[in-house]
Amino acid sequence: MVKRDPILFAFGQSVAKHREAKGLTQEALAAKADLDRTYLSDIERGKRNPGIKNVIRLAKALGVKTAKLTEGVDA
């Protein structure tokens, strides 16, 4: 069994928390951020390591600062 990366998992949980707080589905957020819904799903589950451009896209689509999206995501 592959061990889950705690940093990626924490970031994914942050994205999901902010998305749910805005009342957005994964599909709606993915469309706003110009990302594929399955890619977003993988991010939220900690299976993907998004590049900085995609992190910024997600933050903008959620209407939060990038720093807010990464709060509590520590090595």
Side-chain angles (χ1 to χ4, degrees):
M1 181 175 224
V2 177
K3 198 172 184 183
R4 182 172 21 200
D5 184 298
I7 294 170
L8 296 180
F9 183 72
F11 178 74
Q13 292 296 293
S14 177
V15 171
K17 178 185 80 169
H18 287 283
R19 175 181 60 76
E20 290 167 359
K22 298 282 184 179
L24 296 170
T25 63
Q26 285 184 341
E27 191 169 311
L29 176 56
K32 285 181 76 162
D34 195 28
L35 299 171
D36 188 85
R37 190 212 48 87
T38 59
Y39 181 74
L40 175 60
S41 174
D42 285 349
I43 290 172
E44 288 189 0
R45 291 182 294 130
K47 303 249 181 214
R48 292 276 190 151
N49 186 4
I52 189 65
K53 286 183 178 182
N54 289 335
V55 171
I56 292 168
R57 281 180 178 176
L58 287 168
K60 285 182 179 181
L62 288 165
V64 299
K65 299 262 186 201
T66 304
K68 185 75 172 168
L69 203 55
T70 60
E71 273 181 9
V73 181
D74 297 316

